[in-house]
Amino acid sequence: MDMSYSAVMSRKKDILRRATGIDYDRFEISPLTFDYEGLMNSCEYSLEDVQRILEETGVGKTPLVELENLTELVRSISSPGRGGRIFVKDEAANPSGSFKDRRAALSVFHAKKLGYKGVVAASSGNYGAAVASQAAKRGLKAIILQEVYDSRKVGQPEILEKTRACEAYGAEVWQLTVGPELFYIMLRVLEETEFFSASLYVPTSVRGIETLGYELAQQVFQREGRFPDVVMITHAGGGNVTGTARGLNKAGSYNTIVVGVSVDLQGLHMASDIDFNRKSFTTGHTGFGIPFLTWPDRTDVPRNCARGLRYLDRYLSVTQGEVFYTTELLAKLEGIERGPAGNTSLAGAISLARELEKDQILVVQETEYTAAGKLPSSQLTFAKENGIEVRRGDPKENIPGKAIVIPEGVDQIRIEDMDMEKIRRSYIERAMKMTEGYVPTREDIEFLAEDSKSSVDYVQETIRSLKVKRAELA
Amino acid sequence: MADAKRGDLVQIHKIVLEPDERSDNLPSCTKSVPYECWIKGFLVDEDADMGDEVSIRTFIGREISGVLCQVNPMYDHNFGEPQKELLSIDTEVRRQLERT
Ligand SMILES: Cc1ncc(COP(=O)(O)O)c(C=O)c1O
Protein backbone atom coordinates (compact mmCIF):
# COMPACT_ATOMS: atom_id res chain seq x y z
CA MET A 1 0.00 0.00 0.00
CA ASP A 2 1.15 3.56 -0.77
CA MET A 3 2.16 5.17 2.53
CA SER A 4 3.17 8.57 1.15
CA TYR A 5 1.71 11.68 2.79
CA SER A 6 -0.78 12.39 0.02
CA ALA A 7 -1.86 8.76 -0.43
CA VAL A 8 -2.59 8.24 3.26
CA MET A 9 -4.41 11.58 3.50
CA SER A 10 -6.61 10.61 0.55
CA ARG A 11 -7.74 7.46 2.43
CA LYS A 12 -8.73 9.62 5.43
CA LYS A 13 -12.48 9.18 5.17
CA ASP A 14 -12.46 5.38 5.09
CA ILE A 15 -9.83 5.11 7.81
CA LEU A 16 -11.81 7.37 10.13
CA ARG A 17 -15.13 5.67 9.49
CA ARG A 18 -13.64 2.36 10.55
CA ALA A 19 -11.71 3.88 13.45
CA THR A 20 -14.59 5.81 15.02
CA GLY A 21 -17.44 3.46 14.12
CA ILE A 22 -19.32 6.58 12.99
CA ASP A 23 -20.61 7.30 9.50
CA TYR A 24 -20.33 11.08 9.69
CA ASP A 25 -22.09 11.45 6.31
CA ARG A 26 -25.33 10.40 7.98
CA PHE A 27 -25.39 13.68 9.90
CA GLU A 28 -24.62 16.02 7.00
CA ILE A 29 -27.68 18.06 6.00
CA SER A 30 -26.20 20.57 3.54
CA PRO A 31 -22.72 21.86 2.68
CA LEU A 32 -23.03 24.12 5.76
CA THR A 33 -25.33 22.35 8.17
CA PHE A 34 -25.06 19.10 10.09
CA ASP A 35 -27.19 17.50 12.78
CA TYR A 36 -25.09 18.30 15.85
CA GLU A 37 -27.44 16.85 18.46
CA GLY A 38 -27.98 13.78 16.28
CA LEU A 39 -24.23 13.19 16.19
CA MET A 40 -23.88 13.79 19.95
CA ASN A 41 -26.60 11.26 20.64
CA SER A 42 -25.25 8.69 18.17
CA CYS A 43 -23.54 7.00 21.12
CA GLU A 44 -26.55 5.79 23.02
CA TYR A 45 -25.68 6.53 26.64
CA SER A 46 -27.84 8.49 29.04
CA LEU A 47 -26.18 10.83 31.53
CA GLU A 48 -26.81 8.19 34.21
CA ASP A 49 -25.10 5.54 32.05
CA VAL A 50 -22.10 7.82 31.61
CA GLN A 51 -21.87 8.51 35.35
CA ARG A 52 -21.97 4.77 36.09
CA ILE A 53 -19.31 3.98 33.47
CA LEU A 54 -17.01 6.68 34.88
CA GLU A 55 -17.52 5.42 38.40
CA GLU A 56 -16.36 1.92 37.38
CA THR A 57 -12.86 3.27 36.74
CA GLY A 58 -12.80 5.75 39.62
CA VAL A 59 -13.39 8.83 37.49
CA GLY A 60 -15.42 11.85 38.63
CA LYS A 61 -17.12 12.75 41.94
CA THR A 62 -14.20 15.07 42.64
CA PRO A 63 -14.32 17.48 45.60
CA LEU A 64 -15.60 21.05 45.33
CA VAL A 65 -13.49 23.24 47.61
CA GLU A 66 -14.20 26.82 48.65
CA LEU A 67 -11.07 28.98 48.41
CA GLU A 68 -11.76 31.24 51.39
CA ASN A 69 -8.26 32.65 51.75
CA LEU A 70 -8.00 33.52 48.09
CA THR A 71 -11.47 35.09 48.21
CA GLU A 72 -10.32 37.14 51.22
CA LEU A 73 -7.29 38.32 49.27
CA VAL A 74 -9.48 39.31 46.32
CA ARG A 75 -11.84 41.24 48.62
CA SER A 76 -8.87 43.15 50.03
CA ILE A 77 -8.40 44.76 46.61
CA SER A 78 -12.10 45.04 45.59
CA SER A 79 -14.61 47.87 46.03
CA PRO A 80 -16.80 47.61 49.17
CA GLY A 81 -19.43 44.88 48.78
CA ARG A 82 -17.52 43.23 45.95
CA GLY A 83 -15.44 40.04 45.71
CA GLY A 84 -17.45 36.93 44.87
CA ARG A 85 -16.89 33.56 46.56
CA ILE A 86 -14.39 31.41 44.62
CA PHE A 87 -14.75 27.62 44.54
CA VAL A 88 -12.60 25.10 42.71
CA LYS A 89 -13.47 21.63 41.47
CA ASP A 90 -10.40 19.54 42.22
CA GLU A 91 -10.22 17.49 39.04
CA ALA A 92 -6.65 16.48 39.83
CA ALA A 93 -8.31 13.85 42.05
CA ASN A 94 -9.13 11.79 38.94
CA PRO A 95 -7.00 8.64 38.34
CA SER A 96 -4.50 10.19 35.90
CA GLY A 97 -4.80 13.66 37.42
CA SER A 98 -7.09 15.77 35.25
CA PHE A 99 -10.62 16.20 33.92
CA LYS A 100 -9.42 14.46 30.74
CA ASP A 101 -10.15 11.15 32.45
CA ARG A 102 -13.84 11.93 31.96
CA ARG A 103 -13.50 12.14 28.19
CA ALA A 104 -11.14 9.17 27.97
CA ALA A 105 -13.31 6.98 30.22
CA LEU A 106 -16.38 6.93 27.99
CA SER A 107 -14.38 6.63 24.75
CA VAL A 108 -12.33 3.68 26.01
CA PHE A 109 -15.45 1.96 27.39
CA HIS A 110 -17.18 2.51 24.04
CA ALA A 111 -14.17 1.20 22.08
CA LYS A 112 -14.15 -1.97 24.14
CA LYS A 113 -17.89 -2.45 23.72
CA LEU A 114 -17.53 -2.15 19.96
CA GLY A 115 -14.82 -4.83 20.02
CA TYR A 116 -11.70 -2.77 19.30
CA LYS A 117 -8.46 -4.22 20.72
CA GLY A 118 -6.84 -0.87 21.36
CA VAL A 119 -7.12 2.91 21.20
CA VAL A 120 -5.05 5.64 19.56
CA ALA A 121 -4.93 9.27 20.69
CA ALA A 122 -2.91 12.28 19.60
CA SER A 123 -2.09 14.43 22.61
CA SER A 124 1.00 16.01 24.13
CA GLY A 125 -0.98 16.77 27.24
CA ASN A 126 -3.14 15.29 29.96
CA TYR A 127 -5.42 13.54 27.50
CA GLY A 128 -2.74 11.05 26.41
CA ALA A 129 -2.18 10.01 30.02
CA ALA A 130 -5.94 9.75 30.55
CA VAL A 131 -6.39 7.43 27.56
CA ALA A 132 -3.40 5.31 28.60
CA SER A 133 -4.76 5.05 32.14
CA GLN A 134 -8.30 4.12 31.11
CA ALA A 135 -6.98 1.61 28.55
CA ALA A 136 -4.85 -0.03 31.27
CA LYS A 137 -7.88 -0.40 33.53
CA ARG A 138 -10.11 -1.77 30.75
CA GLY A 139 -7.47 -4.10 29.33
CA LEU A 140 -7.05 -2.40 25.95
CA LYS A 141 -3.80 -1.41 24.26
CA ALA A 142 -2.98 2.29 23.89
CA ILE A 143 -0.83 4.17 21.39
CA ILE A 144 -0.25 7.85 22.16
CA LEU A 145 1.16 10.23 19.55
CA GLN A 146 2.85 13.29 21.00
CA GLU A 147 4.39 16.42 19.53
CA VAL A 148 7.40 16.62 21.85
CA TYR A 149 10.60 17.93 20.31
CA ASP A 150 11.90 20.73 18.14
CA SER A 151 14.50 19.87 15.47
CA ARG A 152 17.29 20.08 18.13
CA LYS A 153 15.50 17.31 20.10
CA VAL A 154 14.73 19.80 22.86
CA GLY A 155 11.36 19.25 24.52
CA GLN A 156 9.18 21.20 26.95
CA PRO A 157 9.51 19.73 30.46
CA GLU A 158 5.72 19.57 30.70
CA ILE A 159 5.48 17.37 27.61
CA LEU A 160 8.39 15.16 28.68
CA GLU A 161 6.46 14.53 31.88
CA LYS A 162 3.47 13.50 29.77
CA THR A 163 5.58 10.98 27.86
CA ARG A 164 6.65 9.53 31.19
CA ALA A 165 3.06 9.35 32.46
CA CYS A 166 1.79 7.60 29.31
CA GLU A 167 4.60 5.04 29.49
CA ALA A 168 3.94 4.57 33.20
CA TYR A 169 0.42 3.45 32.19
CA GLY A 170 1.88 1.01 29.66
CA ALA A 171 1.24 2.88 26.41
CA GLU A 172 3.35 2.84 23.25
CA VAL A 173 4.39 6.47 22.80
CA TRP A 174 5.52 8.10 19.56
CA GLN A 175 7.52 11.21 20.39
CA LEU A 176 7.39 13.40 17.29
CA THR A 177 8.91 16.69 16.18
CA VAL A 178 6.85 19.83 15.51
CA GLY A 179 4.30 19.67 12.73
CA PRO A 180 0.69 19.04 11.75
CA GLU A 181 1.77 15.77 10.09
CA LEU A 182 0.87 14.19 13.42
CA PHE A 183 -2.49 13.59 11.76
CA TYR A 184 -0.80 11.67 8.93
CA ILE A 185 0.94 9.42 11.47
CA MET A 186 -2.35 8.96 13.27
CA LEU A 187 -4.08 7.77 10.10
CA ARG A 188 -1.19 5.40 9.35
CA VAL A 189 -1.28 3.91 12.83
CA LEU A 190 -5.09 3.58 12.78
CA GLU A 191 -4.95 1.85 9.41
CA GLU A 192 -2.21 -0.52 10.49
CA THR A 193 -3.60 -1.48 13.92
CA GLU A 194 -7.37 -1.21 13.30
CA PHE A 195 -7.61 0.38 16.75
CA PHE A 196 -10.29 2.89 17.84
CA SER A 197 -9.59 6.58 17.33
CA ALA A 198 -10.05 8.06 20.81
CA SER A 199 -10.06 11.52 19.25
CA LEU A 200 -10.68 14.44 21.60
CA TYR A 201 -13.53 15.45 19.33
CA VAL A 202 -15.75 12.34 19.00
CA PRO A 203 -19.19 12.33 20.69
CA THR A 204 -18.11 10.03 23.56
CA SER A 205 -15.32 12.43 24.48
CA VAL A 206 -17.61 15.43 24.92
CA ARG A 207 -20.40 13.36 26.51
CA GLY A 208 -17.91 12.28 29.20
CA ILE A 209 -17.23 15.91 30.15
CA GLU A 210 -20.95 16.63 30.58
CA THR A 211 -20.65 14.86 33.95
CA LEU A 212 -18.29 17.62 35.10
CA GLY A 213 -20.75 20.47 34.56
CA TYR A 214 -23.60 18.40 35.93
CA GLU A 215 -21.70 17.38 39.08
CA LEU A 216 -20.51 20.86 39.92
CA ALA A 217 -23.98 22.37 39.48
CA GLN A 218 -25.38 19.73 41.84
CA GLN A 219 -22.59 20.17 44.38
CA VAL A 220 -23.16 23.93 44.51
CA PHE A 221 -26.92 23.45 44.73
CA GLN A 222 -26.66 20.94 47.57
CA ARG A 223 -24.36 23.23 49.54
CA GLU A 224 -25.82 26.63 48.83
CA GLY A 225 -29.39 25.96 47.71
CA ARG A 226 -28.77 27.59 44.34
CA PHE A 227 -26.75 27.23 41.16
CA PRO A 228 -23.40 28.98 40.52
CA ASP A 229 -23.48 32.48 39.06
CA VAL A 230 -20.32 32.05 37.00
CA VAL A 231 -18.34 28.99 35.86
CA MET A 232 -14.83 29.57 34.53
CA ILE A 233 -13.28 27.08 32.14
CA THR A 234 -9.73 26.76 30.80
CA HIS A 235 -10.19 26.63 27.04
CA ALA A 236 -8.15 25.16 24.18
CA GLY A 237 -9.81 22.74 21.73
CA GLY A 238 -13.28 23.45 23.10
CA GLY A 239 -14.26 20.12 24.69
CA ASN A 240 -13.93 21.47 28.20
CA VAL A 241 -16.26 24.42 27.51
CA THR A 242 -18.72 22.37 25.46
CA GLY A 243 -19.06 19.42 27.84
CA THR A 244 -19.18 21.56 30.97
CA ALA A 245 -21.80 23.95 29.57
CA ARG A 246 -23.97 21.06 28.33
CA GLY A 247 -23.72 19.43 31.76
CA LEU A 248 -24.76 22.67 33.49
CA ASN A 249 -27.83 22.79 31.24
CA LYS A 250 -28.66 19.16 31.98
CA ALA A 251 -28.58 19.98 35.70
CA GLY A 252 -30.97 22.90 35.13
CA SER A 253 -28.32 25.55 35.81
CA TYR A 254 -29.49 27.65 32.84
CA ASN A 255 -28.57 31.13 34.10
CA THR A 256 -24.96 30.41 34.91
CA ILE A 257 -22.57 32.59 32.94
CA VAL A 258 -20.12 30.40 31.04
CA VAL A 259 -16.67 31.96 30.76
CA GLY A 260 -13.73 30.53 28.82
CA VAL A 261 -10.16 31.50 29.72
CA SER A 262 -6.94 30.97 27.75
CA VAL A 263 -3.32 31.96 28.27
CA ASP A 264 -2.39 34.67 25.81
CA LEU A 265 0.11 33.33 23.28
CA GLN A 266 -0.96 35.56 20.41
CA GLY A 267 1.87 36.14 17.96
CA LEU A 268 3.43 32.68 18.30
CA HIS A 269 2.96 30.26 15.38
CA MET A 270 1.80 26.83 16.52
CA ALA A 271 3.46 24.92 13.67
CA SER A 272 6.78 26.76 13.98
CA ASP A 273 9.87 24.76 14.93
CA ILE A 274 11.35 27.94 16.45
CA ASP A 275 8.28 29.22 18.38
CA PHE A 276 7.57 25.74 19.76
CA ASN A 277 9.91 26.12 22.73
CA ARG A 278 9.36 29.85 23.23
CA LYS A 279 6.11 29.22 25.10
CA SER A 280 5.67 27.91 28.62
CA PHE A 281 2.13 26.59 28.21
CA THR A 282 1.36 23.65 25.97
CA THR A 283 -2.43 23.84 26.29
CA GLY A 284 -5.19 26.14 27.52
CA HIS A 285 -3.76 28.89 25.33
CA THR A 286 -5.03 31.18 22.59
CA GLY A 287 -2.98 29.35 19.94
CA PHE A 288 -5.62 26.61 20.12
CA GLY A 289 -8.41 28.56 21.78
CA ILE A 290 -9.08 31.11 19.04
CA PRO A 291 -8.77 28.89 15.92
CA PHE A 292 -10.97 26.20 17.48
CA LEU A 293 -13.72 28.78 18.08
CA THR A 294 -13.54 30.29 14.62
CA TRP A 295 -13.32 26.92 12.84
CA PRO A 296 -14.08 23.89 15.06
CA ASP A 297 -14.03 21.39 12.18
CA ARG A 298 -10.26 21.66 11.78
CA THR A 299 -9.72 18.41 13.69
CA ASP A 300 -8.86 14.75 13.23
CA VAL A 301 -12.52 13.77 12.64
CA PRO A 302 -14.92 15.07 9.93
CA ARG A 303 -17.14 16.92 12.40
CA ASN A 304 -16.00 18.21 15.77
CA CYS A 305 -18.35 17.65 18.72
CA ALA A 306 -16.44 20.24 20.78
CA ARG A 307 -18.00 23.53 19.67
CA GLY A 308 -17.07 26.15 22.22
CA LEU A 309 -18.59 29.10 20.40
CA ARG A 310 -22.07 27.57 20.87
CA TYR A 311 -21.75 27.87 24.64
CA LEU A 312 -19.44 30.74 25.60
CA ASP A 313 -20.86 33.91 27.15
CA ARG A 314 -17.43 35.50 27.59
CA TYR A 315 -13.89 34.57 26.54
CA LEU A 316 -10.95 36.01 28.47
CA SER A 317 -7.20 35.91 28.22
CA VAL A 318 -4.61 35.96 30.98
CA THR A 319 -0.81 36.05 30.73
CA GLN A 320 1.69 33.28 31.45
CA GLY A 321 3.11 35.28 34.37
CA GLU A 322 -0.34 35.72 35.91
CA VAL A 323 -0.95 31.96 35.82
CA PHE A 324 2.42 31.16 37.44
CA TYR A 325 1.66 33.74 40.16
CA THR A 326 -1.80 32.22 40.71
CA THR A 327 -0.30 28.73 40.95
CA GLU A 328 1.86 30.04 43.81
CA LEU A 329 -1.21 31.57 45.53
CA LEU A 330 -3.17 28.30 45.37
CA ALA A 331 -0.31 26.38 46.96
CA LYS A 332 0.64 28.93 49.58
CA LEU A 333 -2.81 30.20 50.65
CA GLU A 334 -5.01 27.15 50.07
CA GLY A 335 -2.56 24.28 50.50
CA ILE A 336 -3.39 22.92 47.06
CA GLU A 337 -0.34 22.47 44.81
CA ARG A 338 -1.44 21.84 41.24
CA GLY A 339 -0.15 22.15 37.66
CA PRO A 340 -0.05 25.63 36.11
CA ALA A 341 -2.04 24.91 32.92
CA GLY A 342 -5.05 23.82 34.97
CA ASN A 343 -4.87 27.08 36.92
CA THR A 344 -5.45 29.25 33.85
CA SER A 345 -9.12 29.86 34.62
CA LEU A 346 -8.27 30.39 38.30
CA ALA A 347 -6.04 33.31 37.30
CA GLY A 348 -9.02 34.71 35.38
CA ALA A 349 -11.26 34.12 38.41
CA ILE A 350 -9.07 36.27 40.67
CA SER A 351 -9.71 39.20 38.38
CA LEU A 352 -13.36 38.48 37.51
CA ALA A 353 -14.42 37.87 41.14
CA ARG A 354 -13.69 41.57 41.78
CA GLU A 355 -16.64 42.45 39.52
CA LEU A 356 -19.04 40.19 41.49
CA GLU A 357 -21.13 40.88 44.58
CA LYS A 358 -19.83 39.25 47.78
CA ASP A 359 -22.58 36.63 47.87
CA GLN A 360 -22.18 35.57 44.24
CA ILE A 361 -20.64 32.17 43.51
CA LEU A 362 -17.87 31.62 40.99
CA VAL A 363 -16.69 28.08 40.25
CA VAL A 364 -13.33 27.30 38.64
CA GLN A 365 -14.15 23.91 37.16
CA GLU A 366 -10.76 22.16 37.22
CA THR A 367 -7.29 21.62 38.56
CA GLU A 368 -4.65 19.27 37.11
CA TYR A 369 -1.95 17.20 38.81
CA THR A 370 1.57 18.51 39.21
CA ALA A 371 4.93 16.74 38.92
CA ALA A 372 8.50 17.26 37.74
CA GLY A 373 8.24 19.29 34.52
CA LYS A 374 4.79 20.64 35.39
CA LEU A 375 5.77 23.29 37.91
CA PRO A 376 6.37 27.04 37.69
CA SER A 377 10.00 26.39 38.68
CA SER A 378 10.69 23.85 35.93
CA GLN A 379 8.78 25.79 33.29
CA LEU A 380 10.49 29.09 34.14
CA THR A 381 13.92 27.43 34.24
CA PHE A 382 13.21 26.12 30.73
CA ALA A 383 11.94 29.52 29.56
CA LYS A 384 15.17 31.23 30.71
CA GLU A 385 17.27 28.53 29.00
CA ASN A 386 15.40 29.34 25.79
CA GLY A 387 16.13 33.05 25.94
CA ILE A 388 12.87 34.27 27.49
CA GLU A 389 13.15 37.19 29.89
CA VAL A 390 11.51 36.48 33.28
CA ARG A 391 10.95 39.29 35.78
CA ARG A 392 8.54 40.86 38.28
CA GLY A 393 6.45 43.75 37.03
CA ASP A 394 3.15 44.72 35.47
CA PRO A 395 1.79 41.72 33.53
CA LYS A 396 0.65 44.13 30.83
CA GLU A 397 4.31 44.16 29.77
CA ASN A 398 4.16 40.42 29.03
CA ILE A 399 5.15 39.55 25.43
CA PRO A 400 4.49 35.94 24.34
CA GLY A 401 7.77 34.34 23.26
CA LYS A 402 9.87 37.21 24.68
CA ALA A 403 8.99 38.18 28.25
CA ILE A 404 7.15 36.52 31.12
CA VAL A 405 6.21 39.13 33.71
CA ILE A 406 5.23 37.88 37.18
CA PRO A 407 2.80 40.34 38.85
CA GLU A 408 4.05 42.33 41.83
CA GLY A 409 0.67 42.17 43.52
CA VAL A 410 -2.66 40.42 43.15
CA ASP A 411 -4.30 43.68 42.00
CA GLN A 412 -2.17 43.52 38.83
CA ILE A 413 -3.95 40.38 37.60
CA ARG A 414 -6.30 41.80 34.98
CA ILE A 415 -8.31 39.75 32.53
CA GLU A 416 -8.65 40.89 28.92
CA ASP A 417 -12.01 40.29 27.26
CA MET A 418 -11.50 38.78 23.83
CA ASP A 419 -13.62 40.33 21.12
CA MET A 420 -16.48 37.79 20.75
CA GLU A 421 -17.97 39.84 17.94
CA LYS A 422 -14.75 39.47 15.94
CA ILE A 423 -14.62 35.73 16.66
CA ARG A 424 -18.25 35.23 15.54
CA ARG A 425 -17.64 37.23 12.42
CA SER A 426 -14.55 35.25 11.64
CA TYR A 427 -16.47 31.98 12.18
CA ILE A 428 -19.16 33.06 9.68
CA GLU A 429 -16.54 34.32 7.21
CA ARG A 430 -14.76 30.96 7.35
CA ALA A 431 -18.01 29.04 6.84
CA MET A 432 -18.80 31.15 3.78
CA LYS A 433 -15.30 30.69 2.39
CA MET A 434 -15.42 26.90 2.83
CA THR A 435 -18.67 26.72 0.85
CA GLU A 436 -17.91 29.35 -1.79
CA GLY A 437 -20.59 29.41 -4.51
CA TYR A 438 -23.24 27.71 -2.36
CA VAL A 439 -26.22 29.88 -1.38
CA PRO A 440 -27.19 29.37 2.28
CA THR A 441 -30.82 28.41 2.97
CA ARG A 442 -32.94 29.54 5.91
CA GLU A 443 -31.95 26.31 7.70
CA ASP A 444 -28.25 27.04 7.13
CA ILE A 445 -28.61 30.53 8.58
CA GLU A 446 -30.33 29.07 11.63
CA PHE A 447 -27.53 26.53 12.02
CA LEU A 448 -24.85 29.23 11.81
CA ALA A 449 -26.74 31.33 14.37
CA GLU A 450 -26.90 28.41 16.79
CA ASP A 451 -23.32 27.35 16.15
CA SER A 452 -22.06 30.87 16.89
CA LYS A 453 -24.48 31.66 19.75
CA SER A 454 -25.80 34.66 17.81
CA SER A 455 -29.05 35.29 15.95
CA VAL A 456 -30.50 34.85 12.47
CA ASP A 457 -30.41 38.63 12.04
CA TYR A 458 -26.77 38.77 13.08
CA VAL A 459 -25.75 36.01 10.64
CA GLN A 460 -27.66 37.61 7.76
CA GLU A 461 -26.19 41.02 8.48
CA THR A 462 -22.66 39.58 8.67
CA ILE A 463 -23.03 37.68 5.39
CA ARG A 464 -24.31 40.87 3.75
CA SER A 465 -21.38 42.94 5.03
CA LEU A 466 -18.90 40.26 3.86
CA LYS A 467 -20.39 40.52 0.35
CA VAL A 468 -20.00 44.29 0.39
CA LYS A 469 -16.41 43.94 1.54
CA ARG A 470 -15.68 41.46 -1.23
CA ALA A 471 -17.31 43.65 -3.86
CA GLU A 472 -15.16 46.57 -2.73
CA LEU A 473 -12.01 44.48 -2.98
CA ALA A 474 -12.90 43.23 -6.46
CA MET B 1 30.89 -5.69 23.70
CA ALA B 2 27.68 -4.57 22.01
CA ASP B 3 25.88 -1.47 23.29
CA ALA B 4 22.62 -3.38 23.80
CA LYS B 5 21.45 -6.96 23.88
CA ARG B 6 18.11 -8.68 23.37
CA GLY B 7 15.47 -7.57 25.90
CA ASP B 8 17.19 -4.31 26.89
CA LEU B 9 14.98 -1.24 27.08
CA VAL B 10 16.08 1.01 24.22
CA GLN B 11 14.94 3.97 22.15
CA ILE B 12 14.86 4.07 18.36
CA HIS B 13 14.83 7.03 16.00
CA LYS B 14 13.01 7.26 12.68
CA ILE B 15 12.77 9.89 9.97
CA VAL B 16 9.07 9.83 9.17
CA LEU B 17 9.12 12.38 6.33
CA GLU B 18 12.04 14.11 4.61
CA PRO B 19 11.61 17.90 4.15
CA ASP B 20 10.39 17.48 0.55
CA GLU B 21 7.76 14.92 1.62
CA ARG B 22 6.25 17.18 4.30
CA SER B 23 2.99 19.09 4.18
CA ASP B 24 3.20 22.22 2.02
CA ASN B 25 1.35 24.29 4.57
CA LEU B 26 4.25 24.93 7.00
CA PRO B 27 6.38 27.84 8.20
CA SER B 28 9.76 27.68 6.45
CA CYS B 29 11.68 26.81 9.66
CA THR B 30 9.54 23.67 10.02
CA LYS B 31 9.43 22.80 6.32
CA SER B 32 13.22 22.84 6.08
CA VAL B 33 13.78 20.05 8.64
CA PRO B 34 12.69 16.38 8.53
CA TYR B 35 9.70 15.08 10.48
CA GLU B 36 11.22 12.78 13.11
CA CYS B 37 10.10 10.31 15.73
CA TRP B 38 11.42 8.42 18.77
CA ILE B 39 9.88 5.28 20.28
CA LYS B 40 10.87 3.09 23.24
CA GLY B 41 10.71 -0.66 23.57
CA PHE B 42 12.66 -3.87 24.19
CA LEU B 43 15.39 -4.85 21.74
CA VAL B 44 14.40 -7.81 19.53
CA ASP B 45 17.82 -8.27 17.87
CA GLU B 46 20.43 -10.51 19.54
CA ASP B 47 22.70 -7.51 20.07
CA ALA B 48 23.21 -4.09 18.52
CA ASP B 49 25.33 -0.95 18.59
CA MET B 50 24.25 2.68 18.52
CA GLY B 51 23.30 3.68 14.99
CA ASP B 52 22.33 0.13 13.94
CA GLU B 53 18.99 -0.51 12.25
CA VAL B 54 17.14 -2.62 14.85
CA SER B 55 13.69 -3.91 15.82
CA ILE B 56 12.00 -3.29 19.14
CA ARG B 57 8.92 -4.70 20.84
CA THR B 58 6.93 -1.77 22.27
CA PHE B 59 5.16 -1.80 25.65
CA ILE B 60 1.99 -3.06 23.93
CA GLY B 61 3.87 -5.81 22.08
CA ARG B 62 4.09 -4.35 18.57
CA GLU B 63 7.29 -4.76 16.59
CA ILE B 64 8.75 -1.57 15.10
CA SER B 65 12.09 -0.91 13.45
CA GLY B 66 14.37 2.13 13.49
CA VAL B 67 17.86 3.28 14.34
CA LEU B 68 19.13 2.52 17.85
CA CYS B 69 19.82 5.83 19.62
CA GLN B 70 19.65 5.18 23.38
CA VAL B 71 20.01 2.26 25.76
CA ASN B 72 18.12 2.33 29.05
CA PRO B 73 16.72 5.81 28.24
CA MET B 74 16.13 7.91 31.33
CA TYR B 75 13.53 10.58 32.09
CA ASP B 76 15.59 13.62 32.93
CA HIS B 77 13.01 16.41 33.21
CA ASN B 78 13.10 17.80 36.74
CA PHE B 79 11.72 20.37 39.17
CA GLY B 80 13.87 23.19 37.82
CA GLU B 81 15.87 25.76 39.76
CA PRO B 82 14.33 27.88 42.53
CA GLN B 83 12.91 30.99 40.88
CA LYS B 84 13.64 34.23 42.70
CA GLU B 85 10.67 35.82 40.85
CA LEU B 86 8.36 33.47 42.80
CA LEU B 87 10.03 33.08 46.17
CA SER B 88 8.70 36.21 47.88
CA ILE B 89 5.05 35.91 46.74
CA ASP B 90 4.13 33.96 49.88
CA THR B 91 5.35 36.68 52.28
CA GLU B 92 3.88 39.48 50.17
CA VAL B 93 0.33 38.14 50.11
CA ARG B 94 0.38 37.12 53.78
CA ARG B 95 1.37 40.64 54.68
CA GLN B 96 -1.50 41.96 52.57
CA LEU B 97 -4.00 39.62 54.29
CA GLU B 98 -2.76 40.72 57.73
CA ARG B 99 -3.38 44.37 56.85
CA THR B 100 -7.09 43.70 56.19
C1 LIG C 1 -5.62 20.76 32.34
C2 LIG C 1 -6.32 21.16 31.08
N1 LIG C 1 -7.23 22.14 31.12
C3 LIG C 1 -7.89 22.54 30.02
C4 LIG C 1 -7.65 21.98 28.78
C5 LIG C 1 -8.43 22.49 27.62
O1 LIG C 1 -9.45 21.63 27.23
P1 LIG C 1 -10.07 21.69 25.77
O2 LIG C 1 -8.96 21.34 24.82
O3 LIG C 1 -11.15 20.70 25.77
O4 LIG C 1 -10.56 23.09 25.55
C6 LIG C 1 -6.69 20.94 28.69
C7 LIG C 1 -6.37 20.24 27.44
O5 LIG C 1 -6.16 20.72 26.39
C8 LIG C 1 -6.02 20.53 29.87
O6 LIG C 1 -5.12 19.54 29.84
Side-chain angles (χ1 to χ4, degrees), chain A residues 76-77 161 167 172 175 177-178 180-182 185 192 271 273 332 373 375 377-378 381 384 392, chain B residues 16 22-23 26 30 35-38 40 58-60 62 75 77-79 81 83 85 92 94 96:
Chain A
S76 76
I77 52 155
E161 162 55 22
E167 290 177 343
E172 172 184 311
Q175 294 183 288
T177 50
V178 180
E181 293 98 334
L182 191 73
I185 292 288
E192 192 180 314
D273 187 66
K332 297 298 194 300
L375 286 170
S377 55
S378 47
T381 300
K384 288 174 182 172
R392 298 297 293 273
Chain B
V16 181
R22 297 195 66 166
S23 161
L26 293 175
T30 313
Y35 191 49
E36 301 171 82
C37 169
W38 291 265
K40 286 178 203 136
T58 69
F59 298 132
I60 64 169
R62 294 203 314 142
Y75 302 113
H77 59 289
N78 55 39
F79 296 95
E81 293 164 8
Q83 297 296 307
E85 294 81 4
E92 291 161 17
R94 281 185 195 285
Q96 172 153 358

Side-chain angles (χ1 to χ4, degrees), chain B residues 25-26 56 68:
Chain B
N25 202 2
L26 293 175
I56 59 167
L68 181 67

